[in-house]
Amino acid sequence: LEPIVSPLILRRKVWEVAADLPPRIDIPQPLELDYESAQVYEALRATAAGDAIRTQASLMRLRMYCTHPWLAGQFTHVTEATACSVKLQRLLEVMEEIASEDGKVLVFTSFHGAIDLISHEIAAAFGIHADTIDGRTPVEHRQLKIDAFTALRSSAALILNPKAAGIGLNITAANHVIHFNLEWNPAVEDQASARAHRRGQLRPVTVHRFFYIDTVEDVINARMKRKREIASAAVVGTDGVQ
């Protein structure tokens, strides 16, 4: 593909042309389900068979389970959200460091239930501003939320859906980005990260990517890596020669 498309495409990435862009630090956060959670995951995975529609629904349920078990109707008897989620525990550990430095963070997750849960847990644990932007947020209210987040001098968090808030928003007040669950399409993740790591950002940006090994999230991570490799090889467009 590269010899065919390169004469037709001129592609410039922001970090290739913006000399004033601060460093971006990417930190993968591979996690392991605890024993009981892994047993439940395997039981759910065993049902992911049958026709394509059922398989698609099962994959979505596995993704929801990996985001937080409550989203998939599991461990609902557990009263504390962190008690059944290694991932949420890790999020709060990272948040503790961010809050101690008066940093600001964007947390991206695909599911409304997770957005509500994370915002509640962060606010309860640290007593900081923790607002949300997703498909339920009217478009005209989104910039108002970003302005309020930006105006704060102390630590704060915005929990966002990557598709609702992943394009067209400038949130350079944040110097940390956390992808709480991964997306099949790497462009969705990249666009979300670019809300903070873009021109106008004055501080280094740290991007954390949470995923459970030996689960559907591990598969998504491998697919994303492969897709990025293919895109890099097939779409070069660095000289624009006709």
Side-chain angles (χ1 to χ4, degrees), residues 94-239:
V94 173
M95 275 301 311
E96 184 174 6
E97 182 177 347
I98 294 171
S100 69
E101 299 173 349
D102 285 333
K104 293 184 178 179
V105 61
L106 307 180
V107 182
F108 288 98
T109 182
S110 309
F111 306 105
H112 288 169
I115 288 172
D116 295 339
L117 177 62
I118 292 169
S119 62
H120 174 270
E121 291 295 318
I122 289 176
F126 303 102
I128 64 175
H129 177 89
D131 206 350
T132 65
I133 297 177
D134 57 31
R136 300 168 294 181
T137 310
V139 174
E140 62 271 19
H141 292 172
R142 296 177 187 181
Q143 190 58 52
L144 296 175
K145 286 174 174 276
I146 293 169
D147 292 344
F149 174 80
T150 301
L152 291 168
R153 294 183 178 274
S154 58
S155 183
L158 267 181
I159 300 86
L160 316 102
N161 181 296
K163 293 182 180 178
I167 300 176
L169 297 181
N170 186 338
I171 322 179
T172 53
N175 61 321
H176 290 267
V177 176
I178 297 175
H179 294 284
F180 196 70
N181 66 271
L182 303 185
E183 301 289 335
W184 288 104
N185 184 352
V188 172
E189 180 181 300
D190 293 342
Q191 289 166 352
S193 298
R195 297 314 95 212
H197 191 244
R198 60 192 297 110
R199 279 185 159 168
Q201 177 60 260
L202 302 178
R203 295 174 292 176
V205 174
T206 303
V207 179
H208 307 264
R209 301 174 67 253
F210 289 8
F211 60 95
Y212 285 120
I213 61 174
D214 297 326
T215 71
V216 65
E217 291 190 327
D218 210 0
V219 175
I220 293 173
N221 187 55
R223 294 279 180 90
M224 290 176 71
K225 180 179 179 181
R226 179 59 178 154
K227 287 177 181 179
R228 286 191 171 103
E229 290 172 351
I230 293 173
S232 178
V235 184
V236 179
T238 57
D239 52 23

